[in-house]
Amino acid sequence: MLRALPLSLILPAPLLAAESAPPVVSAGTYLQATLALLLIVGLLFAATWAARKVSGGKMFGQGNMRVISGIALGPKERIVLVEVEDNWLVIGIVPGQIRTLHTLPKGTSTTPAGGQGPAFGDWLKAIRERQNAAQ
């Protein structure tokens, strides 16, 4: 039954057609593509410049808040010290959760004037006592 089908229905038309010249891309096409790419890059730079002018020279996300310091506890866990107006917040960040661990007045040092800081256990105990008192 397949022998009855003509060969033109099975094979694609380009294979049946006589060989044609390969398509040629002219220098004008390359020039046009290059100019279009330069136009797009220029528009991106112009949009960035305009965004800075509108926001008063500040980058996005920098208002009354800034990150003072941070430390990685693991591949996805961090503790970050963030300044918000007149307070410092110690924030714990884990996948799916951000939690305030401690609040300090701005510029407060956690080490006493003697240079040596309190033992970690003493510091943790003081924080736990404050949390229990707040609850």
Side-chain angles (χ1 to χ4, degrees), residues 13 16 28 64 70 78 97 126:
L16 295 176
N64 297 336
R78 295 184 57 83
Q97 187 176 19

Side-chain angles (χ1 to χ4, degrees), residues 29-107:
T29 304
Y30 283 120
L31 180 63
Q32 186 179 12
T34 302
L35 290 176
L37 180 63
L38 290 175
L39 176 68
I40 291 170
V41 170
L43 287 173
L44 286 173
F45 280 117
T48 304
W49 176 81
R52 281 194 188 155
K53 287 295 181 181
V54 168
S55 68
K58 296 181 206 170
M59 295 302 290
F60 296 109
Q62 293 181 348
N64 297 336
M65 218 183 324
R66 74 183 176 122
V67 176
I68 303 295
S69 179
I71 186 167
L73 302 176
K76 295 182 180 180
E77 298 85 16
R78 295 184 57 83
I79 293 181
V80 180
L81 181 63
V82 178
E83 179 182 319
V84 180
E85 294 181 356
D86 292 333
N87 294 319
W88 280 358
L89 303 175
V90 181
I91 298 174
I93 302 171
V94 296
Q97 187 176 19
I98 299 174
R99 180 172 248 168
T100 302
L101 303 175
H102 191 62
T103 304
L104 301 166
K106 181 178 176 181

